[in-house]
Structure formats: C-alpha cells, structure tokens
Amino acid sequence: TKKPTSKSKFFGKQKSNQIMSESNENNESYVPSTVLVLLGPLHFEHAGSADVLSVKIAAPEETTQALEKASSMVQPSTVETLHVVLKSSAISSLFDERIFTTFFEGLKPGGETSVHVLGSAEMPVQPADVDEIRFSLIMAGLRLEQEGLTEGEEGGWALLARKPVIETVDEEEEDEDDEEEEETTPDDKVEKEP
C-alpha cells in the first residue's frame, strides 16, 4: 500500500489510541497554512492539496499532548487560518483556551481564527453559550470581528477573530519626528510683544 501524498497531518487519538500522522512526521519541509482543531466525536476527511494540520481531541486528558505535538509542527507567522470545531454540548468539557494561545505565534499577522459551534434545531446555540470562547479569543490577543448564527446549519454559532497587524515604525522616521518636535516648541508659536 502507498502512503498518502497529501501534506495533511493529523494528531489525536484514533482507534489505535496513538497519535497519528497521514504523512511523514519527520518531513521538516511541512509547513501548514491551516490548522483544524476538532473537539469531541467529530470527523474530518481531508480533500485536496492544501497544507492542513488536523488536531482531534476527544477527551480533556488528551489536550496537552495533542496541542504540544501539533504546535511543534507550526512555525511562527505561517498559519493563515485556525479553525476550531465543536458541538455546543462539548464547550464545558472539551473547550480549552490554550487552543488559541498555542497557535497565536503561528498565526500570520492578520491571520484568521474561526470557531464553529455546532448546535441543533432543538437546542440552538445562544450567545451566552459561547461566553467562555469569546473571552478566550480576546485574552489570547485576538480581535473579535464577527459572530452570530451560522447560515444553513441548524442552530450553529460562528465566531471570527483576527490576529492584529502591528505596524512598526522605521527608526529613521521616528528620529525625524523627534527632530521636528524639538525644532518647534510651544514658546516659538507665541508671538512676543515688543
């Protein structure tokens, strides 16, 4: 049998209860542009050639090991999108704010974090249900841009946050600004009476 040629990696417990990868874990050239974190009994079938790092956490005791293993695969400022998917019933038991802090360094400035909370027609997700997630996004240094009911999904809720883009000021420009301030003082602006 051939190994998959996809550059997707998957970490989390499988039927064999081992952390597994779809491609060679020792491939140092692997740089994911998307990270997908699945919390609970959710399944993801990777299709296409996008570089997706998939992390599946089925139980709270798996969180630390799965996040550490996955974060070792992510280089600083290389991830364009972080997706977190969970059922509303898993928020209190499986959601962990470390998901956002673990991948913060890996997100590119302006990189997007989206959280998809799956509900049902009988029990739609309410704004108060995602308070912990909303707070964790903000505390991780992300800027919440949008949230609300998802279209086409019964009772789901989505939150979209972005890593801030920090503009750096060139030292020469800063020095020029300081010199201009020194040349013009408040006393210079006041006309002296003869």
Side-chain angles (χ1 to χ4, degrees), residues 88 91 117 119-120 122-131 134 147 149 155-157:
S88 60
I91 293 173
V117 182
S120 65
E122 300 81 36
M123 293 200 56
V125 179
Q126 300 297 314
D129 296 340
V130 296
D131 283 346
R134 188 181 303 111
E147 70 172 290
L149 291 171
W157 194 271

Side-chain angles (χ1 to χ4, degrees), residues 151-162:
E151 292 181 29
E153 294 179 31
E154 294 291 324
W157 194 271
L159 298 99
L160 176 67
R162 196 167 299 279

Side-chain angles (χ1 to χ4, degrees), residues 107-170:
L107 275 174
K108 290 181 176 182
E112 185 177 289
T113 297
S114 60
V115 182
H116 311 275
V117 182
L118 309 175
S120 65
E122 300 81 36
M123 293 200 56
V125 179
Q126 300 297 314
D129 296 340
V130 296
D131 283 346
E132 181 181 358
I133 296 170
R134 188 181 303 111
F135 182 73
S136 296
L137 286 164
I138 294 166
M139 292 306 293
L142 299 165
R143 293 195 177 139
L144 186 61
E145 290 187 348
Q146 195 174 20
E147 70 172 290
L149 291 171
T150 56
E151 292 181 29
E153 294 179 31
E154 294 291 324
W157 194 271
L159 298 99
L160 176 67
R162 196 167 299 279
K163 182 176 182 178
V165 176
I166 300 172
E167 294 182 27
T168 57
V169 176
D170 189 16

Side-chain angles (χ1 to χ4, degrees), residues 14-77:
Q14 294 290 305
K15 291 179 185 176
S16 64
N17 290 328
Q18 298 292 319
I19 293 181
M20 302 189 60
S21 168
E22 288 183 14
S23 60
N24 183 1
E25 288 184 31
N26 298 322
N27 182 357
E28 292 180 19
S29 66
Y30 173 75
V31 179
S33 60
T34 301
V35 175
L36 172 65
V37 180
L38 300 170
L39 302 175
L42 301 172
H43 186 68
F44 169 70
E45 286 291 328
H46 175 68
S49 62
D51 294 333
V52 179
L53 176 65
S54 299
V55 184
K56 183 170 173 74
I57 301 171
E61 59 272 7
E62 298 172 16
T63 304
T64 300
Q65 183 181 7
L67 291 177
E68 285 175 1
K69 180 91 169 167
S71 70
S72 71
M73 302 297 297
V74 175
Q75 300 299 314
S77 299

